[in-house]
């Protein structure tokens, strides 16, 4: 049986004290893309200090591309006068990703029509992957921390530069909402992103494993045809792993049928010993 992997999320800079104290309790550090875009220095220093020499641990960056798809008002903060403006961390991420995420500055969400051309998929995919691959490394090089890390690694048997790279890359992904008539189009687009990401990783990003990320609405767990299609499509994509997140799914409160659908989904996705990581799980997921 494969070893269970414990993932903990990096929330804010203030979390680093707790994350360092609990370093022995988790295997991977998951970091949201907007945090990496906005505070790369604090995150890079934490990785250099706490993860660099622990070869059994690592990190990954969640590109959170789904955030530009729906309910874009959640990306704003309100002033005392009630005026909204984009969160600085989101604006920084938009600057990095470029089109079509820059539509959010006019409060226009990304649509399936934005990815009808393969060129749009290729360009967006390359930017999202390069960000995950290079943001931490670039900051460390700019801050002249790299030479100190290389010196610290001289007595060890691992490649120091690879320790500054994520354990895996996540292909751009968008939300599959069973109440949205376009969810099957989003599914097709997500699969195209995975295939392009695998191609890019092989050519430009040191062949780092590529994961697909599935974010679905809770209601889809009751849609047998929908779940069957999702599992069939993802089973035909030879990515290194799958991350899963069921929106609004509280394992302690949902009924038996949803739990059964959830277990069925996870079992079907785990093909060829491919790992399936739950991004927001509770005690039921641990079992």
């Amino acid at each position: 049986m494969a070893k269970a992997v414990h993932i903990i999320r990096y929330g804010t800079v203030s979390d680093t004290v707790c994350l360092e104290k609990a370093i022995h309790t988790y295997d991977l550090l998951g970091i949201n893309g907007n945090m990496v875009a906005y505070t790369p220095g604090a995150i890079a220093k934490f990785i250099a200090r706490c993860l660099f020499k622990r070869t059994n641990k690592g990190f990954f960056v969640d590109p959170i591309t789904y955030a530009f798809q729906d309910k874009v008002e959640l990306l704003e903060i309100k002033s005392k006068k009630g005026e909204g403006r984009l969160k600085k961390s989101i604006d920084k991420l938009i600057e990095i990703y470029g089109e079509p995420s820059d539509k959010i500055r006019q409060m226009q969400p990304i649509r399936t029509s934005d990815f009808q051309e393969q060129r749009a998929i290729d360009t967006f995919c390359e930017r999202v992957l390069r960000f995950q691959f290079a943001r931490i490394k670039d900051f460390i090089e700019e801050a002249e921390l790299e030479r100190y890390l290389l010196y610290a690694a001289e007595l060890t048997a691992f490649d120091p530069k690879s320790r500054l790279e994520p354990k895996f890359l996540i292909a751009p992904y968008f939300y599959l909402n069973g109440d949205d008539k376009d969810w099957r189009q989003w599914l097709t687009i997500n699969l195209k992103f995975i295939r392009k990401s695998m191609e890019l990783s092989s050519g430009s990003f040191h062949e780092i494993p590529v994961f697909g990320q599935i974010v679905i609405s809770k209601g889809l767990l009751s849609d047998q045809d929908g779940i069957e299609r999702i599992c069939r499509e993802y089973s035909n994509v030879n990515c290194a792993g799958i991350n899963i997140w069921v929106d609004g799914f509280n394992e302690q409160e949902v009924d038996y049928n949803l739990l059964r659908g959830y277990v069925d989904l996870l079992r079907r996705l785990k093909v060829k010993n491919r790992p399936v990581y739950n991004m927001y799980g509770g005690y039921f997921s641990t079992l």
Side-chain angles (χ1 to χ4, degrees):
M1 182 179 291
K3 174 184 176 294
V5 174
H6 183 201
I7 299 169
I8 195 166
R9 284 271 176 171
Y10 180 105
T12 64
V13 175
S14 61
D15 290 345
T16 55
V17 174
C18 296
L19 290 172
E20 187 167 358
K21 288 181 178 179
I23 192 74
H24 64 287
T25 66
Y26 58 92
D27 304 292
L28 290 175
L29 183 68
I31 316 168
N32 280 353
N34 60 314
M35 293 303 299
V36 176
Y38 191 56
T39 59
I43 295 171
K45 289 172 184 176
F46 178 82
I47 289 171
R49 185 176 70 253
C50 298
L51 301 182
F52 180 68
K53 294 189 74 172
R54 291 179 169 90
T55 55
N56 61 329
K57 300 185 184 297
F59 71 95
F60 67 89
V61 178
D62 184 341
I64 65 167
T65 46
Y66 76 93
F68 305 131
Q69 173 190 8
D70 192 21
K71 298 180 179 178
V72 295
E73 65 273 8
L74 297 177
L75 304 179
E76 288 187 319
I77 56 174
K78 299 291 184 180
S79 68
K80 293 181 179 179
K81 296 180 179 180
E83 298 173 346
R85 64 173 177 81
L86 278 178
K87 297 175 182 177
K88 291 181 179 179
S89 62
I90 293 296
D91 194 55
K92 189 66 178 178
L93 197 60
I94 290 171
E95 180 183 323
I96 294 168
Y97 289 170
E99 296 179 358
S101 60
D102 56 359
K103 293 171 58 177
I104 303 303
R105 287 177 172 151
Q106 284 75 46
M107 288 292 106
Q108 297 178 21
I110 289 177
R111 303 294 188 193
T112 56
S113 56
D114 292 316
F115 296 112
Q116 292 306 303
E117 295 184 9
Q118 185 63 41
R119 181 179 63 83
I121 289 175
D122 294 351
T123 302
F124 188 69
C125 202
E126 200 279 337
R127 288 173 179 162
V128 171
L129 260 63
R130 184 166 299 282
F131 165 71
Q132 296 174 59
F133 174 78
R135 184 69 170 176
I136 299 298
K137 290 174 52 171
D138 287 350
F139 181 87
I140 286 176
E141 291 175 2
E142 291 168 7
E144 298 186 351
L145 294 173
E146 186 178 31
R147 58 178 176 173
Y148 296 106
L149 295 179
L150 294 175
Y151 175 77
E154 283 185 354
L155 300 179
T156 63
F158 64 86
D159 174 14
K161 290 193 174 183
S162 68
R163 299 293 303 142
L164 302 176
E165 298 173 357
K167 281 288 187 180
F168 55 81
L169 300 171
I170 299 176
Y173 64 94
F174 291 92
Y175 182 40
L176 306 180
N177 184 353
D179 294 329
D180 180 359
K181 62 181 177 60
D182 291 334
W183 79 263
R184 292 172 180 82
Q185 293 183 52
W186 282 118
L187 172 61
T188 299
I189 290 169
N190 286 348
L191 295 167
K192 288 181 179 180
F193 277 133
I194 293 175
R195 293 187 174 97
K196 184 60 184 182
S197 295
M198 292 168 61
E199 177 188 325
L200 288 169
S201 178
S202 178
S204 305
F205 302 119
H206 297 179
E207 298 185 345
I208 294 176
V210 170
F211 275 50
Q213 187 141 312
I214 302 174
V215 182
I216 66 171
S217 61
K218 181 174 61 177
L220 263 177
L221 293 177
S222 301
D223 181 350
Q224 292 186 356
D225 291 338
I227 290 298
E228 183 175 338
R229 176 169 180 175
I230 290 170
C231 293
R232 182 177 66 249
E233 297 282 11
Y234 277 91
S235 294
N236 291 330
V237 177
N238 193 30
C239 55
I242 296 289
N243 298 329
I244 183 97
W245 168 23
V246 182
D247 184 37
F249 186 76
N250 186 321
E251 299 173 355
Q252 283 72 42
E253 296 179 359
V254 297
D255 62 29
Y256 173 78
N257 289 328
L258 284 180
L259 288 175
R260 184 172 61 183
Y262 180 56
V263 171
D264 185 47
L265 170 66
L266 296 178
R267 284 176 172 164
R268 290 187 180 198
L269 287 173
K270 194 170 184 179
V271 296
K272 303 175 185 177
N273 294 320
R274 179 172 65 183
V276 178
Y277 295 154
N278 187 4
M279 293 291 98
Y280 295 96
Y283 295 116
F284 185 79
S285 292
T286 303
L287 291 173

